[in-house]
Amino acid sequence: MLNVIEHIVKSLVENENAVSFVTTEEGDNVTVTVAVGDGDMGRVIGKGGATVSAIRTILKNANSKDGKRYFIQIGDKK
């Protein structure tokens, strides 16, 4: 599942090298925090949050396949 998230996010940004992922696991819940470079935040979030909402929908529908629930958070790289 993490490969899917990585592929989607890196496809959206201009600078793939500036993308980093931090995974936190608590039981069956997995939170993936994605940090993107300058100027790429809007590309990942999308107009009105549509893109990140679509990513979350994909994660929600894929959760039942491996028994874990995936959540995504987007942030700037500092």
Side-chain angles (χ1 to χ4, degrees):
M1 181 57 65
L2 298 176
N3 292 335
V4 173
I5 296 169
E6 182 177 349
H7 178 73
I8 292 170
V9 172
K10 286 189 174 184
S11 297
L12 295 170
V13 299
E14 284 186 6
N15 186 2
E16 292 181 17
N17 297 328
V19 178
S20 65
F21 301 90
V22 176
T23 305
T24 308
E25 226 175 299
E26 293 182 18
D28 287 341
N29 295 332
V30 179
T31 301
V32 180
T33 303
V34 180
V36 297
D38 293 335
D40 283 332
M41 176 75 79
R43 293 178 182 274
V44 176
I45 294 175
K47 191 172 195 175
T51 304
V52 76
S53 178
I55 294 170
R56 288 183 175 133
T57 300
I58 291 169
L59 294 178
K60 180 180 175 186
N61 290 324
N63 284 336
S64 63
K65 299 203 180 6
D66 66 0
K68 296 192 179 210
R69 296 177 56 197
Y70 288 86
F71 302 95
I72 188 168
Q73 294 179 342
I74 311 295
D76 275 325
K77 198 169 216 174
K78 296 183 180 177

